[in-house]
Amino acid sequence: MTDFLAPARLGQLALPHHLVMAPLTRNRAEADGTPTPLMADYYAQRASAGLIIGEAATPNAVGQTYPDIAALHTDRHTDGWRKITEAVGAAGGHMFLQLQHGGRVSHPATTGLTPVAPSAVPLPETIFTREGHLPAPVPREMTPDDIRTTVADFASAARRAIDAGFEGVEVHSANGHLLHQFLAGNTNRRTDGYGGPPEHRVRFTVEVTEAVADAIGAERVGLRISPGGTVNGIQEDDTDTLYPALVHRLRGLGLAYLHLVRADPGDELYRRLRADWPGTLIGNPVLTDLTTEAVARAAREMLASGSDLVALGRPFISNPDLVERLRRGAPLNPLRERYLMYVGGADGYTDYPALVDLRDRP
């Protein structure tokens, strides 16, 4: 069994260990999506992760989901992210950036724009805006021109990410956002080449991923998926055929990795995707207990089941020195009230103590 604290590789990147900081929406950007100095502090604190996958950044204005979400489609955005990669690099870390379009998970009260989606099927719940929780609007069905423009926007954002100092990007096709909306039958009711059978519904994710790979090199591109996920009103009736079809279309592209959300080593589909995917697989385990022992056990189980790297989310939120805590077997900081995860400011963001901070306290 591979020790999760042993050195690892991701393509040409030599990583100090097998633990990856998963992308985590934290709502600390400026209103226009520009990353802030506080975000640079947050990521630099966690630079001991083997790889940091930066939080979802939208490739265009209509793709914004909630207030204060980061973006990457203007020079100001690029400059803001560059300050973050410089801070992480100075601390010895490596960063990819996740690119995410919210699709129907958006609201005109946030963006000033009508959301777009594969079909005119609204989110079956309210959505948070600066005006509070509001009923989700009916999105506009994307035209072929919309699709082509959005694919180009992803490629442009990927080029900006490399210019900003990231070592790669992750295409987000999970958790009920736009690409996942094309995959799922309940949100994709199209009758053209992007709808219907699984082979058609994977087309948009494939085209976005290929365009991003063409823009910056496939070895710098990862893809995140959440088979069977139900976040944001998603329902998949054909998960077991849908994702093998997607992997089949992308397996020869030479991507940096495939990232599985809520990966279950005991699940048959997980084992099939591991067998079908020829490259690096990042497994994001289900954690019901945020203790040192539980996190370490989950990491070992993911590696033993065939994952090459292990992505952790909440443990990195509350433990800037998570790797050192796991190395020593030290207790983990408890995660604070959930609302602090998504409210601006340092509270519940950059003020979690490291072991050295605790040692120096009177």
Side-chain angles (χ1 to χ4, degrees):
M1 184 184 299
T2 302
D3 177 4
F4 62 82
L5 294 175
R9 296 201 68 84
L10 177 63
Q12 297 301 309
L13 281 180
L15 305 181
H17 50 78
H18 291 72
L19 300 181
V20 173
M21 179 176 167
L24 296 154
T25 294
R26 302 305 308 277
N27 301 69
R28 260 71 175 191
E30 294 183 22
D32 72 345
T34 301
T36 60
L38 186 65
M39 291 170 62
D41 293 341
Y42 167 77
Y43 282 113
Q45 287 176 347
R46 290 153 179 81
S48 60
L51 173 71
I52 294 174
I53 305 174
E55 65 202 82
T58 59
N60 54 32
V62 75
Q64 182 179 354
T65 51
Y66 309 108
D68 303 324
I69 295 295
L72 188 53
H73 51 87
T74 72
D75 290 346
R76 192 164 185 265
H77 297 154
T78 306
D79 291 343
W81 279 116
R82 187 178 295 114
K83 293 180 176 64
I84 291 175
T85 61
E86 289 173 350
V88 170
H94 301 284
M95 284 195 81
F96 272 46
L97 178 67
Q98 186 183 77
L99 302 179
Q100 170 196 278
H101 189 302
R104 70 175 187 169
V105 186
S106 185
H107 200 285
T110 298
T111 65
L113 302 166
T114 299
V116 297
S119 301
V121 181
L123 188 72
E125 54 198 62
T126 61
I127 186 166
F128 180 72
T129 74
R130 292 193 190 281
E131 301 172 16
H133 283 273
L134 297 176
V138 177
R140 180 174 60 81
E141 181 173 309
M142 295 174 72
T143 66
D145 282 346
D146 291 328
I147 289 174
R148 285 189 289 271
T149 298
T150 302
V151 170
D153 288 343
F154 269 92
S156 177
R159 286 188 286 269
R160 284 185 176 277
I162 299 305
D163 182 47
F166 289 97
E167 293 169 274
V169 302
E170 176 177 278
V171 174
H172 193 27
S173 188
N175 296 351
H177 297 290
L178 181 63
L179 276 65
H180 198 182
Q181 292 161 29
F182 270 88
L183 294 177
N186 76 313
T187 47
N188 184 346
R189 300 178 182 175
R190 304 176 72 96
T191 57
D192 61 4
Y194 292 91
E199 292 76 14
H200 290 180
R201 282 183 278 126
V202 303
R203 179 179 172 186
F204 183 62
T205 292
V206 169
E207 289 183 354
V208 168
T209 306
E210 288 178 339
V212 171
D214 286 344
I216 64 173
E219 72 282 358
R220 288 177 161 179
V221 180
L223 175 68
R224 195 180 205 215
I225 58 175
S226 54
T230 59
V231 176
N232 288 316
I234 289 293
Q235 296 176 12
E236 296 174 355
D237 296 327
D238 51 6
T239 301
D240 290 343
T241 56
L242 178 65
Y243 289 93
L246 178 61
V247 165
H248 176 75
R249 289 286 302 275
L250 292 173
R251 67 189 309 275
L253 199 58
L255 297 179
Y257 62 79
L258 179 66
H259 184 178
L260 289 179
V261 178
R262 297 180 66 85
D264 180 359
D267 181 67
E268 182 177 346
L269 180 59
Y270 167 83
R271 293 193 293 269
R272 180 177 177 184
L273 294 179
R274 171 65 284 184
D276 289 349
W277 184 252
T280 296
L281 184 72
I282 300 180
N284 167 227
V286 178
L287 292 173
T288 56
D289 187 7
L290 298 181
T291 64
T292 305
E293 296 76 13
V295 172
R297 181 170 59 251
R300 294 189 186 99
E301 289 175 352
M302 288 301 339
L303 295 178
S305 70
S307 287
D308 300 290
L309 299 170
V310 181
L312 301 172
R314 290 173 298 160
F316 270 112
I317 287 179
S318 56
N319 298 278
D321 58 345
L322 175 65
V323 177
E324 184 62 21
R325 288 174 185 266
L326 293 175
R327 192 186 309 277
R328 296 189 192 184
L332 302 186
N333 292 321
L335 195 64
R336 295 193 201 147
E337 296 296 331
R338 185 175 180 180
Y339 80 92
L340 287 175
M341 295 169 64
Y342 307 110
V343 175
D347 291 350
Y349 191 58
T350 55
D351 63 344
Y352 279 106
L355 289 172
V356 65
D357 300 324
L358 295 172
R359 183 193 64 195
D360 291 343
R361 287 181 178 179

